[in-house]
């Protein structure tokens, strides 16, 4: 016989697949002796069986449920339908993965026309009893029977209006009795049957509804968006009711063991006195911060605090707990690993490590790439924001900054997104139906709801910036109104989810800065990584970013990038179109001063860390005048005729520039250009050494080498110039002149090249291009076709081609080190930092990789994860 039902005392946290996350944790907490109301779980297997048998609960399942209810009665002394001690239960769904708001809850199940009277008598509170009953009717009608909730809500609104009351808690017992009979009538009319008075019948229907809800549209959408399998099913948890709406020493709340937005230690959450579970998340009454509970019910607060501390240690993770206090007695209704922002995720893991809750290895392993990525979220330009007044403020529910056009429904948001717009979803509050609208939005703004409201939880989980509970915002049919201002459909808004502010118009977004304690992580990662991670960067700004993101140096500063700016470009054109050496030397004299300044700024920004500057590698073709106007401009600047410049340019044009006159070939043809750069590099280093005291050892890198003699010849000419400078200025500077290895021949003759080169750096962009014979610029279509045909698993320009390019690299490393056993070897092509490439690169005896600044943290983390 299959076991379809588990008492809480029979399960454990390891059984999430069978009992669902909620059920497994309720069982675990029961095992730990925490104050959990007794109950049982009907398994996910039962759900799958139900769904595959025409939505029928089998007799065997019903029998096991009856048995479990019997046990519940024995433990609680209460029975279904008992007129003295009636048993009331909650029914909640709970699948393996948390799906907030996707599935539904029924409270107070077991109440009927008779037992409501017993509850009134026992509690000596008739109002309470009928409020409970009407909640059951409403939830059962809505969730189990699918009656439009608005039909129920409108009755309460009408009654309050009739009696000129503002809040539900002002309604009396008589009012609730009226509501109860109206609700029963709504039920009768909608279902054509009476509301079931038999508790076990109520229970069967509720279990069926939860099972059925696994396949509702909202649940399916959520699963699709979160990559959750449709084959898991949901469990159902049936638990003795406890009441938070028993008066002023009762209450209910949701609390995190740490702040889910920032990760700061200390309880974070909210509660309502004299309220039942759903009131907190529904955002109807504004809850109080959990710290206020320390004053209102200090004993219970302390108990809660200590339970959360213990749970956190037990689960080794931040917990999100639902609790209820019934007449002064604390109950824990649920615990789960809390959803958190990416920033909070990193902060919490670091704190756990510092507090000894997790080991260094766990710290490294548990950081997720997406959190690291998102911790580098954009923010608004501070100077701009300090001069702007937000027109709307609310709770900072999910950090980040975003700009977009306002839309008021999920559908409108989705359509606008499909038109290519950036969208801000603005709503009274959100519900699970809005999930697709939220997913396509840059930010979510709501008028109501707290930090645990649907909008807040979902946006935070998805890493979407969000501001909730903007009390000044009133939603009307065609837009939002804030005082005299209106937000119309399409109004551009800037939303700051970190501060909780909303602004009219577009505020420029700032490049990402790192706010988390990345420094501490960096030093931990560095201890476990097999090699270093440098940056590919040449502007001072990019280098500073790279340094802030943990670069151990600069692996590739491309000097041709310094000539894209207009006046520089003209100078460069003068250089390549000059007819004589004298003419070239004249241009080079000016350029040397400019380049020296460039290199000084690089050394200053790098703060003394190792820096490799690569000599010019322009496919010359790219720098030639593109049309007659440009030829005229150059002619004027060079004091030459238009025809002369045009002829020269046509002469230098190439059919295949990537395999043409570039890199070291330029150095062979015009050694004075590389000589100028070599001098500028060493002179710049010498000045920065004097000014800043850095220990700079210039690393000069020559690109596109194919041959040892080719390299040796040019090296010699650069070195002579450097030596002359050092002799004249009477200085000693240690420098290195190395080469890129980016052409297959260079790999094959690496032993010879290594005789003259002080270091190697693989340029896997060109090497991939040449090993695969695939143009790095023109081949995306071919790569896509090969991907679709299953020939390529990945784009070889993104993920290093281990078997081809990788094999070639191995040859070069082996040969290079045959000549120089300690030869320094790096990799500076784009593919190096990809986590998949790192699996292979981690097996090579290299010294560093070099990549674009924002890829550094993840590359370092990945290396550390492979290292532990
Ligand atoms: C390379 O070829 O991999 C490289 C880093 O150089 P570039 O991309 O500038 O050709
Ligand atoms: Mg290259």
């Amino acid at each position: 016989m299959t076991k379809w039902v588990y008492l809480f005392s029979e399960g454990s946290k390891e059984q999430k697949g069978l009992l669902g996350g909620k059920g497994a944790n309720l069982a675990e907490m029961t095992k730990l002796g925490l104050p959990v109301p007794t109950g049982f779980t009907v398994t996910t297997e039962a759900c799958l069986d139900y769904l595959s048998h025409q939505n029928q609960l089998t007799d065997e399942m019903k029998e096991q449920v009856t048995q479990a209810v019997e046990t519940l009665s024995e433990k609680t002394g209460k029975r279904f339908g008992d007129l003295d001690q009636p048993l009331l239960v909650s029914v909640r769904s709970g699948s393996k993965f948390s799906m907030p708001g996707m599935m539904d809850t029924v409270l107070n199940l077991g109440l009927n026309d008779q037992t409501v009277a017993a509850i009134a008598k026992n509690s000596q509170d008739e109002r309470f009893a009928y409020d409970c009953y009407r909640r059951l009717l409403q939830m059962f009608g809505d969730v189990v029977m699918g009656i439009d909730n608005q039909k129920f809500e409108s009755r309460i609104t009408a009654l309050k209006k009739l009696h000129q009351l503002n809040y539900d808690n002002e309604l009396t017992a008589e009012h609730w009795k009226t509501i109860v009979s109206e609700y029963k009538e709504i039920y009768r009319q909608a279902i054509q049957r009476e509301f079931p008075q038999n508790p076990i019948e109520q229970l069967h229907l509720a279990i069926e509804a939860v099972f059925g809800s696994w396949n509702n549209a909202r649940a399916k959408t959520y699963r699709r968006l979160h990559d959750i399998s449709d084959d898991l099913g949901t469990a159902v948890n049936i638990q003795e009711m406890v009441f938070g709406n028993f008066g002023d020493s009762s209450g209910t709340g949701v609390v995190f063991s740490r702040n889910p937005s920032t990760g700061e230690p200390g309880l974070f959450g909210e509660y309502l006195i004299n309220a039942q579970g759903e009131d907190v998340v529904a955002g109807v009454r504004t809850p109080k911060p959990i710290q206020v509970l320390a004053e209102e019910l200090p004993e219970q607060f302390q108990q809660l605090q200590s339970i959360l501390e213990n749970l956190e240690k037990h689960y080794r993770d931040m917990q999100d707990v639902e609790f209820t206090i019934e007449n002064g007695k604390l109950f824990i209704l649920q615990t789960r690993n809390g959803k958190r922002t990416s920033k909070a995720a990193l902060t919490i893991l670091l704190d756990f490590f510092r507090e000894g809750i997790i080991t260094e290895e766990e710290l490294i392993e548990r950081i997720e790439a997406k959190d690291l990525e998102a911790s580098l979220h954009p923010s608004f330009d501070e100077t701009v924001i300090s001069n702007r007044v937000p027109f709307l403020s609310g709770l900072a529910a999910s950090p980040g900054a975003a700009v977009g056009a306002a839309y008021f429904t999920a559908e409108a948001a989705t359509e606008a997104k499909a038109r290519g717009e950036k969208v801000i979803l603005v709503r009274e509050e959100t519900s699970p139906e809005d999930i697709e609208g939220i997913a396509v939005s840059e930010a979510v703004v709501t008028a109501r709801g707290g930090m645990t409201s649907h909008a807040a939880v979902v946006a935070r989980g998805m890493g979407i910036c969000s501001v909730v509970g903007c009390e000044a915002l009133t939603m009307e049919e065609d837009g939002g109104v804030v005082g005299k201002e209106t937000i119309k459909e399409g109004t551009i808004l800037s939303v700051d989810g970190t501060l909780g502010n909303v602004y009219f118009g577009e505020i420029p977004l700032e490049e990402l800065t790192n706010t988390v304690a990345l420094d501490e992580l960096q030093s931990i990662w560095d201890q476990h990584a097999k090699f270093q991670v440098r940056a590919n960067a040449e502007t001072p700004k990019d280098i500073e970013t790279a340094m802030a993101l943990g670069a151990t140096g600069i692996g590739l500063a491309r000097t041709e990038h310094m000539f894209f700016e207009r006046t520089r470009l003209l100078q460069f054109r003068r250089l390549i179109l000059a007819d004589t050496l004298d003419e070239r030397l004249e241009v080079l004299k000016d350029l040397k001063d400019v380049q020296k300044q460039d290199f000084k700024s690089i050394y200053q920004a790098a703060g003394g860390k190792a820096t490799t500057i690569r000599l010019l590698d322009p496919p010359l073709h790219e720098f030639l005048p593109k049309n007659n106007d440009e030829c005229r401009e150059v002619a004027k600047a060079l004091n030459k005729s238009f025809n002369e410049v045009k002829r020269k340019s046509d002469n230098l044009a190439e059919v295949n520039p990537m395999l043409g006159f570039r890199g070291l070939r330029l150095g062979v043809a015009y050694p004075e250009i590389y000589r100028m750069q070599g001098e500028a590099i060493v002179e710049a280093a010498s000045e920065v050494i004097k000014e800043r005291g850095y220990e700079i050892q210039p690393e000069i890198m020559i690109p596109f080498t194919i041959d040892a003699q080719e390299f040796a010849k040019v090296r010699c000419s650069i070195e002579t110039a450097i030596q002359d400078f050092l002799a004249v200025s009477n200085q000693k500077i240690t420098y290195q002149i190395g080469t890129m290895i980016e052409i297959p021949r260079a790999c094959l003759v690496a032993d010879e090249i290594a005789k003259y080169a002080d270091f190697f750096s693989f340029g896997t962009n060109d090497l991939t291009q040449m090993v695969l014979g695939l143009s790095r610029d023109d081949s995306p279509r071919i790569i896509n076709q090969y991907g679709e045909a299953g020939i390529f698993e990945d784009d070889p320009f993104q993920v290093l081609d281990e078997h081809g390019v990788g094999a070639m690299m191995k040859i070069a490393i082996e040969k290079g080190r045959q000549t120089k056993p300690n030869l320094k070897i790096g990799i500076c092509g784009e593919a190096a930092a990809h986590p998949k490439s790192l699996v292979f690169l981690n097996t090579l005896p290299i010294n560093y990789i070099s990549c674009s600044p924002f890829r550094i943290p993840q590359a370092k983390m990945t290396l550390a994860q492979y290292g532990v």
Side-chain angles (χ1 to χ4, degrees), residues 556 558 614 617 662 740 742 763-766 776 828-829:
L556 174 64
R558 293 172 161 110
R614 183 178 76 182
D617 180 18
R662 57 177 291 209
M740 304 258 321
E742 52 185 346
T764 53
N765 303 335
D766 278 309
R776 56 192 272 191
C828 60

Short mmCIF file of all heavy atoms in Angstrom, two decimals, residues 556 558 614 617 662 740 742 763-766 776 828-829, ligand 1:
data_model
loop_
_atom_site.label_atom_id
_atom_site.label_comp_id
_atom_site.label_asym_id
_atom_site.label_seq_id
_atom_site.Cartn_x
_atom_site.Cartn_y
_atom_site.Cartn_z
N LEU A 556 45.97 43.53 -20.96
CA LEU A 556 45.96 43.99 -22.36
C LEU A 556 45.43 45.41 -22.43
O LEU A 556 44.25 45.65 -22.19
CB LEU A 556 45.06 43.07 -23.21
CG LEU A 556 44.83 43.49 -24.66
CD1 LEU A 556 46.13 43.48 -25.46
CD2 LEU A 556 43.81 42.57 -25.33
N ARG A 558 45.11 48.01 -25.26
CA ARG A 558 45.26 48.06 -26.73
C ARG A 558 45.52 49.51 -27.15
O ARG A 558 44.65 50.36 -27.03
CB ARG A 558 43.98 47.58 -27.40
CG ARG A 558 43.65 46.09 -27.19
CD ARG A 558 42.26 45.85 -27.73
NE ARG A 558 41.99 44.44 -28.00
CZ ARG A 558 41.14 43.70 -27.29
NH1 ARG A 558 40.51 44.21 -26.24
NH2 ARG A 558 40.91 42.45 -27.63
N ARG A 614 50.11 46.85 -25.10
CA ARG A 614 50.37 46.24 -26.39
C ARG A 614 50.64 47.30 -27.45
O ARG A 614 49.92 48.28 -27.56
CB ARG A 614 49.17 45.39 -26.82
CG ARG A 614 49.44 44.66 -28.13
CD ARG A 614 48.31 43.79 -28.54
NE ARG A 614 47.21 44.56 -29.09
CZ ARG A 614 46.08 44.02 -29.49
NH1 ARG A 614 45.88 42.71 -29.32
NH2 ARG A 614 45.13 44.76 -30.00
N ASP A 617 48.25 47.56 -33.07
CA ASP A 617 47.81 46.41 -33.85
C ASP A 617 46.58 46.81 -34.67
O ASP A 617 45.52 46.24 -34.53
CB ASP A 617 47.45 45.25 -32.91
CG ASP A 617 46.98 44.02 -33.67
OD1 ASP A 617 47.25 43.93 -34.89
OD2 ASP A 617 46.34 43.16 -33.05
N ARG A 662 49.08 44.39 -40.36
CA ARG A 662 48.74 44.72 -38.97
C ARG A 662 49.80 44.15 -38.04
O ARG A 662 50.68 43.40 -38.47
CB ARG A 662 47.34 44.19 -38.60
CG ARG A 662 47.15 42.71 -38.80
CD ARG A 662 45.79 42.22 -38.34
NE ARG A 662 45.62 42.29 -36.91
CZ ARG A 662 44.82 41.46 -36.23
NH1 ARG A 662 44.10 40.54 -36.85
NH2 ARG A 662 44.72 41.56 -34.93
N MET A 740 52.17 38.45 -28.18
CA MET A 740 50.91 37.74 -28.27
C MET A 740 51.19 36.46 -29.06
O MET A 740 52.00 36.47 -29.99
CB MET A 740 49.89 38.55 -29.06
CG MET A 740 49.63 39.92 -28.55
SD MET A 740 48.13 40.16 -27.60
CE MET A 740 46.86 39.24 -28.31
N GLU A 742 48.94 34.39 -31.27
CA GLU A 742 47.58 34.44 -31.81
C GLU A 742 47.49 33.97 -33.26
O GLU A 742 46.47 34.14 -33.90
CB GLU A 742 46.99 35.86 -31.65
CG GLU A 742 47.87 36.97 -32.18
CD GLU A 742 47.30 38.37 -31.89
OE1 GLU A 742 46.12 38.50 -31.53
OE2 GLU A 742 48.06 39.35 -32.06
N GLY A 763 46.23 35.35 -27.76
CA GLY A 763 45.10 36.13 -28.26
C GLY A 763 44.14 35.15 -28.89
O GLY A 763 44.25 34.81 -30.07
N THR A 764 43.22 34.67 -28.09
CA THR A 764 42.36 33.59 -28.60
C THR A 764 41.32 34.08 -29.60
O THR A 764 40.69 33.28 -30.27
CB THR A 764 41.67 32.84 -27.44
OG1 THR A 764 41.00 33.81 -26.64
CG2 THR A 764 42.65 32.07 -26.61
N ASN A 765 41.15 35.41 -29.70
CA ASN A 765 40.23 35.90 -30.74
C ASN A 765 40.80 35.60 -32.11
O ASN A 765 40.17 34.97 -32.96
CB ASN A 765 40.02 37.41 -30.60
CG ASN A 765 39.49 37.79 -29.23
OD1 ASN A 765 38.87 36.98 -28.56
ND2 ASN A 765 39.74 39.03 -28.82
N ASP A 766 42.03 36.03 -32.31
CA ASP A 766 42.66 35.77 -33.61
C ASP A 766 43.01 34.30 -33.77
O ASP A 766 42.86 33.74 -34.85
CB ASP A 766 43.91 36.65 -33.78
CG ASP A 766 43.53 38.05 -34.23
OD1 ASP A 766 42.79 38.16 -35.22
OD2 ASP A 766 43.94 39.03 -33.57
N ARG A 776 36.32 36.33 -37.39
CA ARG A 776 35.77 36.75 -36.09
C ARG A 776 34.68 37.79 -36.27
O ARG A 776 33.89 38.02 -35.37
CB ARG A 776 36.89 37.24 -35.15
CG ARG A 776 37.72 38.33 -35.72
CD ARG A 776 38.97 38.57 -34.88
NE ARG A 776 38.74 39.52 -33.81
CZ ARG A 776 39.71 40.04 -33.07
NH1 ARG A 776 40.97 39.68 -33.28
NH2 ARG A 776 39.44 40.90 -32.12
N CYS A 828 44.49 36.55 -23.21
CA CYS A 828 43.72 37.79 -23.14
C CYS A 828 42.59 37.87 -24.17
O CYS A 828 41.98 38.90 -24.35
CB CYS A 828 44.64 39.00 -23.26
SG CYS A 828 45.56 39.05 -24.81
N GLY A 829 42.25 36.75 -24.81
CA GLY A 829 41.10 36.76 -25.74
C GLY A 829 39.79 36.74 -24.96
O GLY A 829 39.76 36.40 -23.78
C1 LIG B 1 43.03 38.42 -29.55
O1 LIG B 1 43.25 38.31 -30.74
O2 LIG B 1 42.57 37.51 -28.86
C2 LIG B 1 43.28 39.69 -28.85
C3 LIG B 1 43.16 39.78 -27.56
O3 LIG B 1 43.61 40.78 -29.61
P1 LIG B 1 42.59 41.60 -30.49
O4 LIG B 1 41.21 41.19 -30.09
O5 LIG B 1 42.86 43.02 -30.22
O6 LIG B 1 42.91 41.19 -31.86
#
